[in-house]
């Protein structure tokens, strides 16, 4: 089972929501998950209804217990102390979160490899850090991915992994391969030395079976095409692809027979159905007849949407990856909805 789960998707597909739900789904049965944000949007804090995440790992939620017990959020003020790790099948695990800041990560890096200490802080005041990460975007990506990969490898004093899984809310699909393929990005910056070694260490994790990149999409033409392109680019770069999460799915409100009637505007069939429902006779000018045109218009739109979504779904399944579906929550995604999505992911098997 992968330990680093990278979640990407075209803007507007809900990738941050899916990343948060996945972290909750993975943190079951006493397991501990780290949810990492790299874009500085504080989307995770908003989803979990907690204060802005600092540049440090902090517990933000308690995951669902595996027996379906009542779900509850920690929201940073959880009482009762630490939940037991590996505490049996019935115990819920923990979700910790971290907002990675490239500037702070560079300071850590400078301290780790060059022992700059206060000199590193002076560089920050001079604006040298912003300058360095701006002129060398590849360096920024190494710092961001490196922090997540370090969390994947980190062990406690007993030799156990601190986190059973790390979930990264990554940049959109259009630039996910470049973001993850840091070895190529820094090739022109450093061919030897700490930066080169750091990039190599990151790529060993990102290209290993420990990693899976999941792409979030909608049943719409542009997100589906971008997903297919993203999968092809990731595969070409040798980065493991996990699954495709089809987000915000909506049920078909009509069966196939009714869809056919709606698509072809069969007035007689609709009039008969309305009459049978007690809405007047099927004669011209009656109540049932006056309802037909607006109902047919809505039904046609619905039938067209279902047909298009089925075509897009076929495109996705042709890619040959496991697919997972999450329903559209009409009222939006609040904390309760997030737990609901996590439960739905768990029901669909390992991801």
């Amino acid at each position: 089972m992968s330990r680093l789960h990278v979640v990407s998707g075209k803007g507007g597909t809900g990738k941050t929501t899916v990343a948060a739900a996945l972290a909750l789904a993975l943190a079951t049965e006493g397991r501990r998950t780290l949810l990492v944000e790299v874009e500085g949007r504080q989307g995770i804090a908003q989803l979990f209804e907690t204060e802005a995440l600092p540049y440090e790992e902090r517990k933000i939620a308690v995951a669902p217990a595996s027996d379906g017990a009542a779900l509850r959020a920690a929201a940073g003020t959880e009482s009762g102390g630490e939940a037991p790790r590996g505490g049996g099948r019935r115990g819920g695990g923990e979700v910790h979160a971290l907002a990675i800041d490239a500037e702070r990560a560079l300071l850590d890096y400078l301290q780790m490899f060059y022992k700059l200490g206060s000199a590193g802080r002076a560089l920050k005041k001079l604006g040298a850090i912003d300058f360095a990460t701006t002129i060398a975007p590849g360096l920024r990506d190494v710092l961001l991915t490196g922090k997540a990969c370090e969390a994947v490898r980190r062990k406690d004093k007993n030799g156990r992994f601190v986190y059973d899984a790390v979930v990264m809310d990554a940049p959109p699909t259009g630039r996910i391969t470049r973001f993850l393929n840091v070895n190529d990005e820094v090739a022109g910056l450093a061919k030897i030395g700490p930066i080169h070694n750091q990039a190599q260490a990151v790529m060993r994790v990102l290209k290993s079976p420990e990693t899976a990149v999941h792409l979030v999409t909608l049943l719409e033409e542009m997100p589906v095409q971008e997903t297919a392109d993203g999968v092809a680019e990731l595969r070409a770069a040798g980065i493991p692809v996990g699954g495709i999460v089809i987000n915000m799915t909506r049920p078909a409100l009509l069966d196939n027979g009714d869809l056919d009637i709606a698509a072809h505007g069969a007035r007689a069939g609709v009039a008969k159905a309305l009459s049978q429902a007690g809405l007047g006779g099927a004669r011209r000018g009656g109540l049932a007849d006056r309802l037909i045109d607006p109902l047919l218009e809505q039904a046609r739109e619905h039938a067209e949407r279902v047909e298009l979504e089925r075509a897009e779904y076929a495109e996705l399944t042709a890619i040959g990856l496991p697919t997972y579906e999450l329903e559209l929550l009409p009222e939006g995604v609040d904390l309760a909805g997030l737990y609901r999505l996590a439960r739905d992911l768990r029901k669909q098997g390992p991801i």
Side-chain angles (χ1 to χ4, degrees):
M1 182 177 179
S2 301
R3 298 191 59 252
L4 174 60
H5 298 262
V6 181
V7 179
S8 182
K10 179 177 170 57
T13 59
K15 70 177 180 65
T16 298
T17 298
V18 172
L22 177 58
L24 281 168
L26 291 170
T28 58
E29 300 174 5
R31 291 193 288 265
R32 182 178 293 180
T33 299
L34 177 65
L35 180 55
V36 175
E37 182 177 272
V38 298
E39 294 186 282
R41 296 184 295 107
Q42 290 294 335
I44 291 171
Q46 294 174 32
L47 281 170
F48 284 96
E49 300 175 8
T50 187
E51 61 189 23
L53 297 175
Y55 182 70
E56 60 185 25
E57 293 155 29
R58 188 180 74 195
K59 184 171 74 172
I60 60 169
V62 174
S66 59
D67 61 356
L71 308 177
R72 58 196 178 93
T77 57
E78 180 70 22
S79 60
E82 293 286 319
R85 291 194 65 198
R89 291 185 58 81
R90 297 178 65 84
E94 298 174 350
V95 176
H96 293 240
L98 166 68
I100 302 179
D101 175 79
E103 182 179 271
R104 292 286 300 276
L106 181 54
L107 287 174
D108 286 351
Y109 176 85
L110 293 174
Q111 174 60 24
M112 182 183 303
F113 290 105
Y114 298 104
K115 309 298 181 187
L116 291 186
S118 59
R121 292 188 291 274
L123 285 174
K124 178 181 177 181
K125 291 180 180 178
L126 291 171
I129 292 174
D130 285 339
F131 178 73
T133 55
T134 298
I135 65 169
L139 174 60
R140 181 180 183 277
D141 292 346
V142 169
L143 297 169
L144 295 175
T145 54
K147 190 71 175 177
C149 290
E150 181 275 327
V152 171
R153 299 190 302 260
R154 192 190 314 156
K155 295 183 178 181
D156 61 21
K157 61 182 179 181
N158 296 317
R160 297 173 54 192
F161 287 113
V162 173
Y163 294 107
D164 299 289
V166 176
V167 178
M168 181 195 295
D169 177 20
T173 315
R175 57 190 186 93
I176 186 61
T177 303
R178 183 175 180 180
F179 174 75
L180 295 176
N181 202 19
V182 295
N183 204 36
D184 286 350
E185 289 300 298
V186 301
L189 295 175
K191 300 188 183 302
I192 59 172
I195 294 177
H196 174 79
N197 294 339
Q198 174 78 348
Q200 293 283 86
V202 167
M203 290 311 302
R204 281 195 292 271
V205 174
L206 293 179
K207 290 192 173 185
S208 77
E210 286 186 297
T211 297
V213 182
H214 311 292
L215 300 180
V216 182
T217 188
L218 306 178
L219 290 176
E220 299 173 5
E221 183 178 359
M222 289 185 64
V224 168
Q225 185 59 56
E226 192 162 309
T227 297
D229 293 343
V231 170
E233 290 174 4
L234 288 164
R235 285 172 169 168
I239 298 172
V241 187
I244 296 172
V245 180
I246 305 171
N247 198 21
M248 304 185 212
T249 62
R250 295 171 289 182
L253 301 177
L254 304 173
D255 61 27
N256 286 336
D258 290 334
L259 282 171
D260 186 61
I261 291 174
H264 296 91
R267 293 181 59 89
V270 176
K272 182 179 178 181
L274 291 173
S275 179
Q276 290 173 345
L279 294 175
R283 66 186 183 279
R284 297 287 296 182
L287 176 59
D289 186 68
R290 294 197 302 273
L291 291 172
I292 290 176
D293 287 336
L295 285 175
L296 276 179
E297 181 60 28
Q298 291 186 37
R300 270 194 295 270
E301 291 176 359
H302 177 72
E304 289 172 1
R305 176 179 69 78
V306 171
E307 184 178 358
L308 288 171
E309 288 182 350
R310 287 176 176 174
E312 298 304 333
Y313 186 85
E315 292 284 336
L316 290 172
T317 55
I319 295 174
L321 292 172
T323 58
Y324 308 84
E325 296 182 34
L326 292 176
E327 64 180 316
L328 173 69
L329 301 180
E331 303 301 320
V333 182
D334 57 8
L335 194 54
L338 191 61
Y339 278 100
R340 178 177 172 181
L341 295 177
R343 184 175 66 248
D344 289 346
L345 274 178
R346 288 181 58 214
K347 287 180 179 178
Q348 295 177 61
I351 183 171

